[in-house]
Amino acid sequence: MIKQPLRSPDKISKIMDLPLAGLILIITALLGGVIAMGAFIWAAHTKQFKDLNAGAYIIFDEEEPIGKMNEFKLSYTWFRRGP
């Protein structure tokens, strides 16, 4: 009967590195998910989602009301310099 040679320590360490990396990846993903869920629960409890449009209109004032554009508007004719 032929005996199989035992694995060398180098081969064993290479085999064990992959599951450890996978375990670290799984733990990191679960921890990130828990942090994201905690942030969502905090935002819901503090009513951060109450008025989502308020932030969109905060940039407007009396000098630039909603719907009026004051910036320079480029048009196609500005770029075309034909005869």
Side-chain angles (χ1 to χ4, degrees):
M1 181 173 247
I2 301 173
K3 291 185 177 182
Q4 294 285 338
L6 295 174
R7 292 185 177 178
S8 67
D10 293 335
K11 288 183 180 180
I12 293 173
S13 66
K14 287 181 182 178
I15 292 171
M16 296 303 287
D17 285 342
L18 186 61
L20 179 62
L23 181 65
I24 291 172
L25 183 65
I26 290 170
I27 290 172
T28 304
L30 288 174
L31 185 63
V34 168
I35 290 172
M37 185 62 74
F40 178 76
I41 291 171
W42 168 82
H45 281 292
T46 58
K47 297 183 175 50
Q48 298 292 323
F49 302 120
K50 184 179 179 183
D51 189 10
L52 295 177
N53 289 331
Y57 295 115
I58 200 165
I59 61 170
F60 297 107
D61 57 5
E62 292 81 26
E63 293 179 12
E64 185 175 357
I66 298 172
K68 182 180 176 190
M69 189 169 80
N70 293 336
E71 290 85 18
F72 177 69
K73 184 177 179 181
L74 294 177
S75 65
Y76 177 71
T77 57
W78 186 81
F79 289 107
R80 193 176 52 179
R81 300 282 183 184

